[in-house]
Amino acid sequence: MYLLPRVNLELRSRLLELKPGIRSVSLQNPRLRGDQISFNFTAEVNGDPARYELDGRIEGDAIAGSAALSGKRIRGRLDWNAKRIAGGWNQVQNRKALAMIFGTAARKTSHIAAKFCGVFLVTGFVSAPAFTQDYGDTPYVPTPQNVVDKMLEVAQVGPKDYVIDLGSGDGRMVITAAKKYGARGFGVDLDKRLVAMGNRLAARAGVADRAKFYARDLYETDVSRATVLTIYLLPEVNLMVRPRLLAMLKPGTRIVSHDYDMGEWTPDLSLILDAPDKPVGRDHRSKVFYWIMPATVSGKWRWQLPVEGKPLNFELALHQNFQNIEGTVEVDGRKVAIEDAKLAGTQIGFSVVVNDNGASLRYQFSGRIVNNAIEGQAQIMRDQAGRQLAWNATRTELWEPAHASLKPPQLPQMPN
Ligand SMILES: C[S@@+](CC[C@H](N)C(=O)[O-])C[C@H]1O[C@@H](n2cnc3c(N)ncnc32)[C@H](O)[C@@H]1O
């Protein structure tokens, strides 16, 4: 989330203007000596006044320096990086520097929260009240309504769906799903005021019975009921949440994320759209990422098909990394790689081509995974002729998918 308000340093007017046009704060002791610049100002962090002391060196179009912050509940130092834009200077988010920020955020339990706190103060520290919050891993930034609409459209939300929004803000995702598509669901957020607002807005929209909001940590939320899960969280938070989603969501659950992907888990679909009402970023565009929760299919599978009056044995060794699958089938003592392999939720499909006395025999399998069984059809094509048979496979060995060994991101070490 590039929560970078445009920071225009107008030294002549002694004003540090923070855009998008929300408010300005007066600079105290602004100094420019050669290429050294320094100034102080006071602004609110999480409702408490805090003093910022910025000190840096101007190099061409960039300022590099440090910022000291002291407030009632927050204290520390972080890198300060700014770059010149037309008419002013813009804060630059320095991820490396942010990772080293102090740990006095309200939530001691999460280092990421402390990191977020750094993001917050670097980027959004005097933005509008709507963008401030008490604590949490991800600051509150509402998804523009046209992006909400697109996300729900991509997920093909319908009246049978149960939509869960992790970090639900003012509740717009679940409320829209309920109002526009007749879905049900809930959202969780750490910010009680936003939760109350969500419930109020749901009542106002006439969907209070179908869209509910709870003050709850997303890491402690049972998401297993979701058929659609939506997120607009920081990239690291997506990676932190990813193992929970993989462990808890039912295969076939659709996941839609605003702006950030899930690292190694490549999306099944992604798109970019205009978002004129987006309160952050400069290009007023949003990204939407979409995944279908894959069933666990890795392991060994066996089945038989009657071919020319005789049962033919198949053994498939299937490897899986998220929704990507590959493997080999042993048929009639010969091993062949599967082709065109696809896994979408519980739907699996692949083909196998074997050479049979000079002729090529193509088996096309498609079916649905139900625990340790696959039920579907096999299409057998010899030259132009084809026939269809029932396909019933049983898993004889269950292997851990490759993605299960991926580690969540390393949390930054916080100085004392
Ligand atoms: C970027 S906003 C997204 C709001 C809403 N989903 C939307 O798209 O409009 C992220 C929200 O996540 C909430 N949040 C951050 N960390 C959280 C946590 N650990 N548990 C629950 N909510 C959290 C924040 O309070 C904030 O409202």
Side-chain angles (χ1 to χ4, degrees):
M1 196 153 313
Y2 26 92
L3 285 171
L4 304 179
R6 192 164 295 170
V7 179
N8 285 341
L9 296 183
E10 253 294 349
L11 284 173
R12 271 170 310 164
S13 64
R14 295 166 64 94
L15 269 188
L16 172 66
E17 194 190 356
L18 296 154
K19 291 195 173 175
I22 294 158
R23 53 183 277 202
S24 302
V25 291
S26 292
L27 288 191
Q28 296 143 11
N29 309 324
R31 294 179 78 149
L32 189 58
R33 288 266 167 83
D35 58 2
Q36 287 294 324
I37 182 171
S38 63
F39 55 87
N40 310 329
F41 63 92
T42 304
E44 259 182 31
V45 179
N46 302 338
D48 292 326
R51 180 176 169 79
Y52 296 80
E53 294 174 21
L54 282 84
D55 194 346
R57 201 162 81 88
I58 301 170
E59 275 183 320
D61 282 333
I63 300 176
S66 66
L69 174 66
S70 50
K72 207 165 102 193
R73 289 186 296 171
I74 193 161
R75 179 175 297 276
R77 180 171 283 278
L78 69 157
D79 284 1
W80 173 39
N81 289 283
K83 73 173 185 210
R84 199 193 299 266
I85 54 163
W89 295 81
N90 207 16
Q91 286 291 145
V92 175
Q93 187 170 333
N94 181 338
R95 305 191 71 80
K96 195 158 169 273
L98 290 175
M100 298 189 299
I101 293 163
F102 48 88
T104 48
R107 284 175 75 226
K108 276 197 176 144
T109 47
S110 168
H111 285 193
I112 283 279
K115 179 175 174 181
F116 149 70
C117 198
V119 174
F120 191 61
L121 75 91
V122 166
T123 61
F125 45 93
V126 282
S127 56
F131 307 140
T132 65
Q133 63 167 42
D134 292 327
Y135 38 65
D137 297 331
T138 306
Y140 175 52
V141 179
T143 297
Q145 188 60 43
N146 74 307
V147 181
V148 171
D149 293 341
K150 181 53 87 182
M151 289 170 74
L152 298 175
E153 183 192 313
V154 164
Q156 299 186 352
V157 172
K160 290 194 182 140
D161 275 314
Y162 199 87
V163 180
I164 297 180
D165 189 23
L166 291 181
S168 48
D170 68 1
R172 56 185 62 201
M173 197 67 73
V174 184
I175 293 172
T176 307
K179 199 170 158 71
K180 197 165 167 189
Y181 298 107
R184 311 176 72 77
F186 70 81
V188 296
D189 205 289
L190 284 177
D191 189 324
K192 293 195 177 85
R193 289 165 305 169
L194 288 171
V195 169
M197 189 192 293
N199 284 319
R200 265 199 317 277
L201 293 174
R204 203 178 293 165
V207 294
D209 56 332
R210 282 180 286 135
K212 298 192 189 306
F213 300 95
Y214 305 103
R216 194 176 295 158
D217 192 330
L218 62 89
Y219 295 105
E220 284 155 24
T221 299
D222 181 351
V223 293
S224 56
R225 202 176 161 192
T227 57
V228 174
L229 184 127
T230 55
I231 43 177
Y232 183 21
L233 302 168
L234 286 169
E236 295 85 350
V237 181
N238 278 1
L239 297 184
M240 298 286 291
V241 171
R242 191 178 70 187
R244 282 182 69 78
L245 303 187
L246 287 162
M248 291 175 96
L249 291 178
K250 294 182 290 288
T253 303
R254 290 95 82 202
I255 304 168
V256 204
S257 172
H258 180 191
D259 264 351
Y260 298 108
D261 64 14
M262 281 204 262
E264 300 91 337
W265 189 0
T266 51
D268 293 294
L269 186 137
S270 65
L271 55 92
I272 299 179
L273 72 160
D274 287 336
D277 301 330
K278 195 169 184 178
V280 292
R282 284 200 237 156
D283 60 354
H284 294 287
R285 285 164 85 74
S286 278
K287 291 182 193 151
V288 170
F289 298 94
Y290 173 75
W291 298 260
I292 303 171
M293 177 68 201
T296 300
V297 293
S298 44
K300 272 200 173 160
W301 297 83
R302 278 202 192 133
W303 66 93
Q304 284 186 335
L305 288 180
V307 176
E308 288 164 4
K310 288 188 297 191
L312 192 60
N313 290 315
F314 292 76
E315 187 174 73
L316 167 66
L318 203 53
H319 300 277
Q320 173 175 18
N321 189 25
F322 298 106
Q323 72 274 45
N324 303 310
I325 52 170
E326 55 180 30
T328 47
V329 169
E330 196 171 325
V331 49
D332 211 10
R334 279 172 293 176
K335 267 192 184 171
V336 272
I338 60 170
E339 295 173 17
D340 308 321
K342 281 194 190 73
L343 176 66
T346 57
Q347 293 296 323
I348 187 167
F350 57 90
S351 50
V352 175
V353 180
V354 286
N355 197 317
D356 185 43
N357 291 330
S360 127
L361 201 55
R362 185 179 186 87
Y363 298 88
Q364 209 152 329
F365 297 97
S366 61
R368 199 167 79 89
I369 296 129
V370 187
N371 301 319
N372 288 321
I374 301 176
E375 295 159 6
Q377 289 88 40
Q379 182 93 20
I380 308 177
M381 305 285 296
R382 184 192 287 274
D383 301 325
Q384 296 307 313
R387 65 192 178 107
Q388 192 162 304
L389 296 171
W391 174 42
N392 291 294
T394 309
R395 183 161 23 200
T396 55
E397 282 178 34
L398 173 65
W399 300 338
E400 202 164 73
H403 61 252
S405 57
L406 282 173
K407 301 262 177 294
Q410 290 298 305
L411 297 174
Q413 292 298 310
M414 295 297 162
N416 294 324

